[in-house]
Amino acid sequence: QVQLRESGGGLVQAGGSLRLSCLASGRTFSGYNMGWFRQAPGKEREFVAAINWSDLSTYYANSVKGRFTISRDIAKNTVYLQMNSLNSEDTAVYYCAADPSASNRNYNYWGQGTQVTVSS
């Protein structure tokens, strides 16, 4: 079955950087959109970024454009989220997800999440 395992979260000072990783297993992800979402305490889960596994199309939330970069490594079956210029509003649990329809509307598979805390 599909498994998504996030890693790379932690505590970082404002202005710093982190790189999150999502190891995907259980099937080939050709054609899928692989996305990152986040949920801050007391807030709804929100979309952060996505990448199409095959054609490398990328999508970003306005709040992270220019600061975050999503990428994938086929050989390692891993999706990355490079996060730069972090601020306190980026503090959240970050989730990796997979959308077989590549529409960014059908994320059927989810990881357990990794905590990112930005201290000011």
Side-chain angles (χ1 to χ4, degrees):
Q1 78 249 30
V2 173
Q3 287 191 324
L4 304 174
R5 187 167 66 205
E6 304 94 336
S7 61
L11 175 64
V12 62
Q13 287 190 330
S17 299
L18 277 177
R19 188 177 78 159
L20 305 184
S21 300
C22 172
L23 176 61
S25 62
R27 61 154 297 133
T28 58
F29 293 90
S30 178
Y32 278 49
N33 273 11
M34 305 297 290
W36 286 97
F37 291 75
R38 67 186 180 187
Q39 187 167 21
K43 293 188 176 182
E44 298 280 320
R45 186 168 57 195
E46 64 175 358
F47 170 81
V48 175
I51 186 168
N52 185 272
W53 191 268
S54 299
D55 66 18
L56 299 181
S57 299
T58 57
Y59 311 86
Y60 294 95
N62 287 335
S63 59
V64 307
K65 274 182 186 175
R67 300 189 299 124
F68 290 12
T69 302
I70 190 169
S71 62
R72 68 100 178 92
D73 185 327
I74 284 185
K76 295 182 179 179
N77 248 33
T78 298
V79 178
Y80 301 101
L81 185 68
Q82 177 67 43
M83 306 186 295
N84 299 328
S85 302
L86 287 162
N87 59 62
S88 58
E89 293 185 351
D90 297 315
T91 294
V93 177
Y94 283 71
Y95 298 91
C96 177
D99 173 5
S101 73
S103 66
N104 285 331
R105 294 192 297 270
N106 293 300
Y107 283 94
N108 296 332
Y109 305 102
W110 293 85
Q112 293 299 306
T114 185
Q115 175 71 47
V116 171
T117 303
V118 182
S119 64
S120 55

